[in-house]
Amino acid sequence: MTQTNTKDESTYLSLFKSGDPEAFTYFFNCYWEELYTVAYRHMRDEDTAKDLVQEVYIQIWEKRHLINSDYLSLRPYFFRVLKNKVLNYYASEKVRKEVVEQMLYRMENTVIAGDSSSVYRQLEHIVEESVANLRGLMKTVYQMRTDNYSITQIAQKLGIAEQTVKNYLSEARAILKKELTQRFADHDNLLTLLITYHLIHDFLM
């Protein structure tokens, strides 16, 4: 980074800490592309990489008052936060995978195949009913996502913001998960519940 750029950045830093939108735009333009490139290199998925970079900007903006005023450049700070996001992502994925693997091992040894397929058929039926009851654009967005449209593609086709798409998906998944867990609340068999939660994950990805 040149001396001039360092001077410019230190000027924008104080504005950023005070909540100036122009300063946010400055740092967004400075580092977005580079952060995305690094995130994509790790994730190998466009939407996940974009989500992680967006989370980096949101976190730093929300905690901007904690930034050290002596910093000459925020570049190391941005990339440190991104590194933590990537590590946390892989940590959570590893934990989820281990739990699922343990559960599947128990299923293979203690559950009759017909039992799990019966639960799966019930889940399919409940999901179909619940999706049919989703309202307006939320239903359209959810169906397009299950048809493997990306967040960006859905936003472009429906003429809405990408954040709006994410909000609809989040709300739809919450509704479906609540419906599924309520419908299976009367199952007193722990293993059946574990199977159910595994299949819920498949349906709500």
Side-chain angles (χ1 to χ4, degrees), residues 9-174:
E9 186 164 345
S10 63
T11 300
Y12 276 106
L13 176 56
S14 61
L15 295 173
F16 186 87
K17 282 174 63 67
S18 67
D20 189 320
E22 183 179 347
F24 178 89
T25 301
Y26 172 84
F27 286 109
F28 184 90
N29 291 335
C30 277
Y31 299 124
W32 168 267
E33 186 173 351
E34 192 177 0
L35 288 165
Y36 170 75
T37 299
V38 173
Y40 182 79
R41 190 181 305 145
H42 287 285
M43 299 295 104
R44 295 298 178 184
D45 179 80
E46 180 180 340
D47 288 335
T48 303
K50 287 181 178 179
D51 286 345
L52 285 181
V53 176
Q54 178 174 288
E55 289 175 14
V56 168
Y57 276 94
I58 290 174
Q59 177 178 321
I60 292 178
W61 178 252
E62 290 179 343
K63 297 183 178 180
R64 58 188 181 276
H65 61 286
L66 299 177
I67 296 174
N68 192 328
S69 298
D70 294 333
Y71 283 162
L72 295 178
S73 171
L74 280 186
R75 186 180 185 280
Y77 189 55
F78 271 98
F79 281 89
R80 185 163 64 250
V81 173
L82 176 61
K83 178 182 177 181
N84 290 334
K85 291 290 182 184
V86 170
L87 291 175
N88 289 339
Y89 177 87
Y90 279 122
S92 63
E93 284 296 296
K94 181 180 179 181
V95 169
R96 185 190 66 77
K97 182 180 179 182
E98 289 177 350
V99 170
V100 170
E101 287 178 348
Q102 291 174 10
M103 182 191 66
L104 290 176
Y105 177 78
R106 290 184 62 194
M107 287 170 59
E108 290 173 358
N109 287 277
T110 59
V111 179
I112 300 174
D115 291 339
S116 61
S117 63
S118 175
V119 173
Y120 197 93
R121 285 195 297 273
Q122 292 180 61
L123 278 168
E124 281 186 321
H125 180 67
I126 295 171
V127 169
E128 289 174 359
E129 285 185 344
S130 300
V131 170
N133 290 330
L134 293 177
R135 64 180 186 275
L137 276 179
M138 185 192 301
K139 177 179 179 181
T140 303
V141 166
Y142 184 84
Q143 290 175 326
M144 291 179 71
R145 187 61 174 146
T146 58
D147 287 336
N148 293 320
Y149 282 88
S150 69
I151 301 294
T152 301
Q153 289 172 327
I154 296 172
Q156 291 174 345
K157 287 183 177 294
L158 298 181
I160 57 180
E162 290 187 18
Q163 186 59 51
T164 302
V165 173
K166 293 176 183 178
N167 291 343
Y168 277 135
L169 286 173
S170 178
E171 189 174 350
R173 287 166 180 157

